[in-house]
Amino acid sequence: MADNSNQYILNRLRSDAAALLARSQVEEGVPHAGTRGRFRELLSDNMMSPWLPPYVACGTGMILDRCSQPMARWQNDIILYDRSLAPPMLAAAGHAPEGAFIYNSVLARIEVKSTLTATGVEEFVASSREISNLKITVGKESARPYIGAMNLLFSFKSDLSGNEKTEFQRLTESIDRKSTRLNS
């Protein structure tokens, strides 16, 4: 029975992903890049939401640490947060709430790119390093250890051509360059 369940889940994920990519193509017709990007963020949010446990939700906005220090990059495309750890301070509630999210409750932040470029990869690496410097409020007495938020990058297209390196290679090279600069 487990094989049938696993196959169903895989088929459902593939179907959801195919629908996401098809809808993304429709969004190409939106002339304003910012609006087109936000629509794609919402498409991604809508695909993930049904798969999340009930205590996890998607939002967008800024992440604050215990000293109320936000990341320099104020707007995070998608924030997955645990509602049971700390409530968000919402500017707008609804399906994809917008507001400020306490770092303690942030499980992941997702950058959504319409087209991934070398600059986009560099920006993702920089913002991922920045979030790792945020301070958590959860103390040692907490029953739930908190190791920080995952940083995820999602793109609908890439500017790489077929004969170039892979996106993974481009990402690891960017991480290596950033590490070399920090250690110099």
Side-chain angles (χ1 to χ4, degrees):
M1 186 67 179
D3 287 337
N4 288 340
S5 295
N6 289 343
Q7 194 58 47
Y8 168 76
I9 291 170
L10 286 173
N11 288 339
R12 177 71 190 270
L13 282 168
R14 288 179 182 126
S15 174
D16 286 355
L20 174 75
L21 293 173
R23 288 285 308 273
S24 170
Q25 288 300 315
V26 172
E27 306 306 349
E28 282 290 324
V30 175
H32 187 270
T35 303
R36 182 174 53 248
R38 182 66 185 133
F39 284 177
R40 286 185 167 154
E41 291 167 14
L42 290 169
L43 285 174
S44 303
D45 179 303
N46 290 335
M47 183 185 144
M48 282 185 293
S49 292
W51 296 94
L52 299 174
Y55 58 89
V56 176
C58 295
T60 186
M62 67 178 161
I63 300 171
L64 298 173
D65 74 359
R66 73 173 182 223
C67 302
S68 295
Q69 293 299 312
M71 294 173 54
R73 180 179 178 178
W74 286 72
Q75 179 66 29
N76 290 276
D77 298 336
I78 299 175
I79 298 171
L80 297 179
Y81 65 99
D82 184 334
R83 298 185 244 214
S84 69
L85 293 177
M89 296 164 275
L90 300 177
H95 173 67
E98 296 184 48
F101 299 82
I102 305 300
Y103 183 53
N104 292 35
S105 68
V106 176
L107 303 173
R109 57 176 278 281
I110 305 168
E111 287 191 30
V112 179
K113 304 287 187 189
S114 290
T115 303
L116 190 57
T117 63
T119 301
V121 171
E122 295 287 333
E123 290 170 353
F124 172 73
V125 169
S127 63
S128 296
R129 287 203 180 274
E130 184 182 350
I131 198 167
S132 70
N133 293 325
L134 294 179
K135 307 293 185 228
I136 60 172
T137 305
V138 175
K140 292 179 180 146
E141 69 281 350
S142 173
R144 293 171 109 169
Y146 185 76
I147 57 171
M150 289 189 296
N151 294 285
L152 306 168
L153 178 61
F154 180 79
S155 177
F156 289 91
K157 295 187 295 187
S158 170
D159 68 347
L160 289 178
S161 67
N163 297 334
E164 294 184 63
K165 58 186 131 194
T166 66
E167 286 297 353
F168 183 74
Q169 289 169 320
R170 185 156 65 171
L171 177 63
T172 56
E173 288 171 4
S174 177
I175 292 169
D176 289 343
R177 277 192 303 277
K178 186 67 91 173
S179 294
T180 301
R181 279 182 267 171
L182 290 174
N183 294 329
S184 298

